[in-house]
Amino acid sequence: KKTLSCGYIGSFKKGKGVDIVVKIAEVIPSMKFHIVGGTEDEINTLKSKTKAQNIIWHGYLNQKNVMKILREDIDIALLPNQSSVFVGDKNKGDIGKWTSPMKLFEYMSMGKAIVASDIPVLKEVLHHLDNAYLVEPHDILQWKKAILYLENNREILKSISIKAFQDIKTKYTWDERTRKSIGNLKLREEKI
């Protein structure tokens, strides 16, 4: 049985959780972790804080290469967003309550098993053991348990992957978003 690999794609902004991925890699040394994103300085800073030898640091890549790595090298996609996600030069603007990570939808579109933070903004799309495995954002042992659970229960890994892919095809298309928006406008008109 092939050992699975995990991956994180995204920025290194405070609250996105790349530091969590590094800690998870430290506690699962037998598994490869792909980290896509980050400047050379950001990568070097994180590398200096870990002894993990199982991380493949890809840095920033063009979208075609990002999708190639996601498709070919990542079995379990990690979405370790924290409750607070900071943007801007000074990391002052907290968008944690409203952020809708594009990577989530890319993971779903590639039919990947997703392990994600159990936070309200992600639970609008993800449901535990339905289309993802949800864990407490800061709890490294829960992340480890979730990943190893999927590693050892390939049928569940496959079922949540398939469900995530079905959901993106049926619930999160532009047509579906338009239909919901028009429905909401009609409801609003009726109230006026």
Side-chain angles (χ1 to χ4, degrees):
K1 183 160 84 168
K2 166 189 174 276
T3 300
L4 301 180
S5 63
C6 294
Y8 167 85
I9 298 170
S11 81
F12 284 31
K13 295 276 186 211
K14 185 178 175 190
K16 285 288 192 174
V18 69
D19 54 322
I20 299 293
V21 176
V22 172
K23 290 175 185 171
I24 300 165
E26 291 171 354
V27 298
I28 312 177
S30 61
M31 193 175 278
K32 290 263 184 257
F33 285 77
H34 295 267
I35 296 180
V36 179
T39 65
E40 195 174 327
D41 286 345
E42 289 171 327
I43 291 168
N44 287 334
T45 298
L46 272 179
K47 275 184 175 181
S48 72
K49 295 177 182 177
T50 184
K51 289 182 170 50
Q53 298 295 308
N54 55 334
I55 299 173
I56 300 167
W57 304 88
H58 295 278
Y60 282 114
L61 299 173
N62 65 40
Q63 188 64 10
K64 181 180 176 185
N65 289 334
V66 169
M67 297 312 280
K68 182 177 189 290
I69 288 169
L70 180 57
R71 183 176 52 255
E72 297 176 8
D73 299 323
I74 296 171
D75 301 300
I76 300 171
L78 305 177
L79 199 62
N81 284 46
Q82 302 300 292
S83 298
S84 294
V85 176
F86 296 92
V87 296
D89 292 337
K90 307 269 190 243
N91 282 328
K92 287 186 178 176
D94 182 359
I95 61 166
K97 291 179 185 173
W98 304 282
T99 187
S100 180
M102 289 304 298
K103 294 302 169 229
L104 166 60
F105 297 102
E106 289 178 2
Y107 293 168
M108 293 172 76
S109 74
M110 287 288 181
K112 296 299 172 179
I114 300 167
V115 179
S117 294
D118 188 356
I119 57 175
V121 71
L122 297 181
K123 287 167 64 171
E124 291 176 18
V125 176
L126 299 176
H127 308 284
H128 185 60
L129 291 180
D130 175 51
N131 62 0
Y133 194 120
L134 301 178
V135 298
E136 287 301 314
H138 291 95
D139 191 333
I140 303 305
L141 292 181
Q142 269 197 27
W143 284 93
K144 176 183 178 179
K145 179 182 169 190
I147 291 165
L148 295 179
Y149 178 81
L150 294 176
E151 164 83 11
N152 295 315
N153 294 278
R154 301 288 175 99
E155 287 304 311
I156 293 170
L157 176 135
K158 187 176 179 182
S159 73
I160 67 173
S161 303
I162 290 168
K163 182 64 165 75
F165 183 68
Q166 289 171 340
D167 284 353
I168 195 138
K169 286 193 333 187
T170 58
K171 296 180 183 178
Y172 302 104
T173 64
W174 285 110
D175 289 343
E176 185 61 20
R177 288 178 69 171
T178 302
R179 190 187 67 71
K180 284 181 181 175
S181 295
I182 290 170
N184 288 338
L185 287 172
K186 286 181 181 175
L187 281 173
R188 202 164 156 211
E189 282 178 359
E190 290 169 8
K191 289 180 182 177
I192 295 177

